[in-house]
Amino acid sequence: MTETKKVRWGILGPGSIAKAFQGGVAGSKHAELVAVGTRNPEKPGLATDFPGARVHNGYDALLADKDVDAIYIATPHPGHAEWAIKAAEAGKHVLVEKPMALSAFEIDAIFHAHRKAGTFAGEAFMYRLHPQVKKLGELIASGVIGEVRMIQSSFGFSMGKFQPQHRLFANDLAGGGILDVGGYPVSMSRFIAGAAVGKPFADPIKVSGTAKLNAEGTDDWAAAVLTFENGIVAQVSCAVMANLDNVLRIHGSEGRIEVPDFWFAGGNRDQGVGRIDVIKGGKTETISVNETGHVYSFEADGASEAILAGRHEFAAPGMSWADSLGNARVLDKWRADAGIEFNIEKPAKRVNTLSNRPLASGGTAIPKRSIPGLTKQASAVALGFEDFRTFSSGAILLDAFWEKGGNLFDTAFVYGSGYTEKLFGDWHKSRGTREQSVLIGKGAHSPLVYPDVIAKQLTQSLDRLQTDYVDVYFMHRDNLDVPVGEFVDAMDAEVKAGRIRGPFGGSNWTKERMDQAIAYADKTGKQRPGALSNNFALAEMLDPIWAGCVTSSTPEWKAWLNDRQVTNFSWSSQARGFFTDRAGRDKTDNEELVRVWYNDQNFGRRDRAIELANKLGHSPIHVALAYVLAQPFPSIPLIGPRTLYELDDSIKAFDIKLTSADLKWLEDGK
């Protein structure tokens, strides 16, 4: 008889939930517990609670155990991302207790680490692997209650009294009901909404949440409404200071389904029979999957089976990577609506990277280059990060960019109504990176394009940026009704005041206007405008993306830039998705792509980029970025990745070295 292959598990953080998981492993087919990592190896009861497991002194020792294949992470919430990432670096698979991390941004970073390591990573919503959930999905798909219209789902209990140091309340431990138990009703609602349309899950198109906060700033009880594209509305609630009814109710056009305590399959922590009540026409039919296995054994086997099969994520109905990210985005919005941002997410306390290490310098994945008029070396690409609205989310990307060798950052007075500047100010202050950074500032955007606005907005920008100078400065737009010399005078005054310490110029300025500005500066002894920030890409911008935008991708512009050797910091350097699968001659649903980029010349260039990419083993978008980097004039692309994967993908362009002949062939096929 062939022995069943098993995954050797280690538990990181042997608390109460870890004991429950141990019980599940003991009752599983494909998992065995071999080790435990604890910061208190002398703690009484470890041998009893985790029989047969080696006890390691510290979490790092557990990760170093060569006889451990996979790690179950059961620390308090703030440690989840750190140890999941470190486990990936150690080559270990992970099952992370919910919530997988504090935000969708942190979860995405975990998945990125495991994608690179080739390891499994799963979020431990144990109920999703129980047969009850599969049966529930089948009932919804069968139409037993008609069309699903509303979902009500709650998970709440009362701790009796407020205990500020307890993990369920403490701000520094990311306490509160939303993160501790709110994910259950949200994940179930998304599962039901998906089952109603034949999908593993569905993400809501609208989330509106609220909560009652305590003295720690965490939620005692909370509720949210989720609206789905197919019209389903879900009401979800959670609490750590209120005994809710804890019943899942699914209301359909012909009846309803009720499931008590769905996360325990209607039973207790150890045994669940899988009870589902179908109520139609005044009658109740109770359906049971008659499953008596340990409720945690199903996730232990689900994760182990995925690992043994070489998969990186759970199979449905377990939480896939996309499912976990979607769930976290709902919780992020719920928290934001309730006004909950933990102190450990703010710059004063989040002084290390997500893996809880000091920020490292000296990376070489992104090369450095000289910029005319600037004494510092700058990275060959600049990072734009205006899509982030919290320090904890933006810092993940900023840290990664810096550690790869990036030190050039693109900000502007108008980005995020000033939040991008504030984010960078908080980041460099907490990391101590300002003097090694090259900071781009921009001001005087439409409609306020006047000389006297420059100093006023720069003062506000420097206050937000928590610095007394920018390295590069651009006027964000031009105003042809104002003599160009007045703009040069205003920017030169800031140079003399030490508030601009490198080149300045215009964003979305014409060749003619730049020539006039340079001539005026030479005539009057002012600093020459030495930089531009216009669109430049392999695809020519046919129609301005936004009013007042200027492209420098035409032959005339390229000749001008080459002749003047003016540095261009190019925005939309990869043509906003034109070189990805989002575009194509037969894909006309994206109005912006069609309006701005679609013509025969650009599609010819796209075809050649695809051809060259296939030859080099890269993607067309890498070729498009390499084209901008390889220009015979100083050309610095601005990139705006939203995830670590997108950042890593962008810098693959540095592996491509294009010759002048390559550039010409990409442009005209000759």
Side-chain angles (χ1 to χ4, degrees):
M1 184 175 179
T2 304
E3 184 178 353
T4 302
K5 191 171 182 180
K6 294 191 175 185
V7 173
R8 299 170 298 178
W9 285 87
I11 290 178
L12 193 150
S16 59
I17 199 74
K19 296 176 190 176
F21 180 71
Q22 182 277 331
V25 170
S28 69
K29 299 176 183 176
H30 300 287
E32 63 176 328
L33 180 64
V34 299
V36 171
T38 175
R39 289 172 172 167
N40 182 13
E42 305 304 321
K43 182 180 178 181
L46 287 175
T48 302
D49 293 337
F50 305 98
R54 296 184 297 279
V55 177
H56 287 292
N57 185 1
Y59 302 157
D60 288 308
L62 177 63
L63 297 185
D65 189 334
K66 60 182 177 57
D67 294 321
V68 170
D69 304 312
I71 306 291
Y72 174 75
I73 297 175
T75 64
H77 306 336
H80 289 183
E82 172 188 350
W83 292 105
I85 291 170
K86 288 178 175 176
E89 294 169 348
K92 306 296 188 186
H93 308 282
V94 295
L95 179 62
V96 187
E97 190 49 53
K98 55 81 210 159
M100 194 168 211
L102 302 188
S103 69
F105 298 96
E106 293 189 3
I107 293 175
D108 182 77
I110 291 171
F111 291 152
H112 185 59
H114 284 272
R115 185 185 297 113
K116 291 193 296 182
T119 43
F120 170 89
E123 187 171 18
F125 277 99
M126 79 292 190
Y127 85 91
R128 286 287 289 268
L129 280 300
H130 193 281
Q132 181 189 59
V133 172
K134 182 180 179 182
K135 183 63 176 178
L136 193 55
E138 291 171 351
L139 289 170
I140 295 299
S142 74
V144 67
I145 58 169
E147 292 183 2
V148 176
R149 293 179 174 173
M150 290 196 72
I151 304 165
Q152 294 171 299
S153 185
S154 63
F155 188 168
F157 56 90
S158 179
M159 289 290 288
K161 67 176 183 177
F162 175 59
Q163 304 167 56
Q165 303 306 313
H166 193 283
R167 72 164 189 87
L168 289 173
F169 299 99
N171 195 298
D172 283 347
L173 295 177
I178 293 176
L179 283 195
D180 194 67
V181 291
Y184 285 104
V186 169
S187 65
M188 177 54 92
S189 297
R190 293 173 56 259
F191 171 79
I192 296 301
V197 292
K199 296 180 179 180
F201 63 87
D203 287 319
I205 57 174
K206 182 180 179 182
V207 176
S208 180
T210 189
K212 183 270 179 184
L213 306 188
N214 53 44
E216 277 286 295
T218 61
D219 57 295
D220 285 340
W221 52 86
V225 176
L226 285 53
T227 305
F228 294 88
E229 190 172 21
N230 54 10
I232 294 174
V233 174
Q235 300 169 303
V236 297
S237 55
C238 64
V240 294
M241 287 290 280
N243 289 312
L244 305 183
D245 63 1
N246 297 340
V247 175
L248 167 69
R249 294 182 176 88
I250 307 164
H251 301 272
S253 57
E254 299 175 19
R256 73 178 188 273
I257 291 173
E258 293 189 353
V259 185
D261 297 328
F262 67 84
W263 55 93
F264 288 144
N268 55 40
R269 282 183 182 269
D270 297 323
Q271 307 295 331
V273 295
R275 172 186 160 191
I276 300 170
D277 291 336
V278 179
I279 304 165
K280 290 176 64 175
K283 296 181 180 180
T284 299
E285 178 188 4
T286 297
I287 299 171
S288 173
V289 297
N290 293 317
E291 176 56 64
T292 59
H294 193 294
V295 72
Y296 283 81
S297 67
F298 302 101
E299 72 171 6
D301 270 333
S304 297
E305 288 166 7
I307 291 167
L308 293 171
R311 298 196 306 270
H312 296 168
E313 54 191 316
F314 275 122
M319 298 283 282
S320 66
W321 287 8
D323 200 351
S324 286
L325 285 168
N327 216 60
R329 291 184 185 113
V330 174
L331 300 182
D332 288 348
K333 178 61 165 59
W334 192 354
R335 274 211 293 145
D337 286 353
I340 302 169
E341 183 181 13
F342 302 119
N343 293 332
I344 51 173
E345 297 176 294
K346 298 176 182 178
K349 291 196 173 184
R350 184 154 291 196
V351 296
N352 288 334
T353 65
L354 188 58
S355 59
N356 199 24
R357 300 175 175 119
L359 186 68
S361 297
T364 58
I366 301 174
K368 297 287 199 304
R369 62 163 300 158
S370 296
I371 295 177
L374 194 66
T375 58
K376 302 176 187 176
Q377 287 275 296
S379 52
V381 293
L383 180 68
F385 47 97
E386 60 264 31
D387 292 320
F388 297 92
R389 290 295 172 268
T390 63
F391 177 80
S392 58
S393 60
I396 295 171
L397 187 70
L398 290 164
D399 288 345
F401 181 69
W402 182 270
E403 292 194 329
K404 293 177 187 300
N407 73 331
L408 180 57
F409 301 92
D410 180 53
T411 68
F413 181 82
V414 297
Y415 289 165
S417 300
Y419 187 76
T420 299
E421 293 180 328
K422 181 182 184 303
L423 173 56
F424 181 79
D426 288 339
W427 180 79
H428 83 73
K429 202 78 171 179
S430 71
R431 302 300 193 262
T433 57
R434 177 63 189 98
E435 292 309 309
Q436 293 76 43
S437 298
V438 177
L439 177 59
I440 301 169
K442 294 191 284 290
H445 193 288
S446 304
L448 300 176
V449 190
Y450 300 101
D452 63 330
V453 170
I454 292 172
K456 294 174 183 176
Q457 290 190 349
L458 185 55
T459 296
Q460 293 182 62
S461 290
L462 294 176
D463 181 60
R464 295 168 181 162
L465 291 163
Q466 301 183 57
T467 184
D468 55 4
Y469 72 99
V470 294
D471 298 279
V472 182
Y473 181 82
F474 294 113
M475 285 184 55
H476 215 154
R477 291 289 192 273
D478 194 6
N479 183 348
L480 298 179
D481 294 332
V482 176
V484 73
E486 295 183 25
F487 289 133
V488 174
D489 288 345
M491 289 186 281
D492 181 75
E494 298 305 325
V495 171
K496 289 183 168 58
R499 302 206 304 173
I500 301 174
R501 297 190 185 176
F504 64 73
S507 178
N508 299 296
W509 276 34
T510 64
K511 303 187 300 293
E512 296 75 18
R513 192 71 159 170
M514 278 294 290
D515 281 338
Q516 294 168 14
I518 291 169
Y520 173 85
D522 290 347
K523 180 180 178 180
T524 59
K526 305 294 173 64
Q527 177 169 308
R528 268 186 166 209
L532 270 168
S533 185
N534 286 358
N535 166 251
F536 183 85
L538 176 56
E540 288 186 21
M541 185 174 71
L542 309 173
D543 190 54
I545 298 174
W546 304 286
C549 289
V550 174
T551 181
S552 295
S553 299
T554 65
E556 296 78 17
W557 256 111
K558 282 180 278 192
W560 186 93
L561 287 165
N562 193 34
D563 181 60
R564 305 295 194 281
Q565 288 296 299
V566 169
T567 306
N568 186 55
F569 294 78
S570 53
W571 52 266
S572 292
S573 56
Q574 294 165 298
R576 296 176 67 81
F578 181 71
F579 292 94
T580 70
D581 290 339
R582 291 173 51 209
R585 290 175 175 84
D586 60 340
K587 297 180 180 179
T588 58
D589 57 327
N590 187 308
E591 182 275 333
E592 181 186 279
L593 279 175
V594 173
R595 173 176 59 86
V596 177
W597 310 106
Y598 277 31
N599 74 354
D600 289 341
Q601 174 185 275
N602 283 341
F603 273 118
R605 294 180 175 186
R606 185 176 184 273
D607 292 341
R608 290 187 287 277
I610 293 171
E611 181 182 339
L612 182 56
N614 289 336
K615 183 189 299 184
L616 297 175
H618 277 273
S619 297
I621 199 164
H622 303 150
V623 173
L625 188 57
Y627 170 86
V628 178
L629 289 163
Q631 292 302 309
F633 55 85
S635 177
I636 300 177
L638 309 178
I639 61 172
R642 292 172 175 82
T643 67
L644 297 182
Y645 173 80
E646 291 177 357
L647 173 61
D648 279 358
D649 190 61
S650 291
I651 65 178
K652 290 178 182 176
F654 292 117
D655 296 332
I656 301 174
K657 307 301 179 186
L658 299 178
T659 65
S660 57
D662 293 329
L663 299 183
K664 188 175 188 311
W665 178 77
L666 285 168
E667 290 169 355
D668 57 27
K670 298 177 183 178

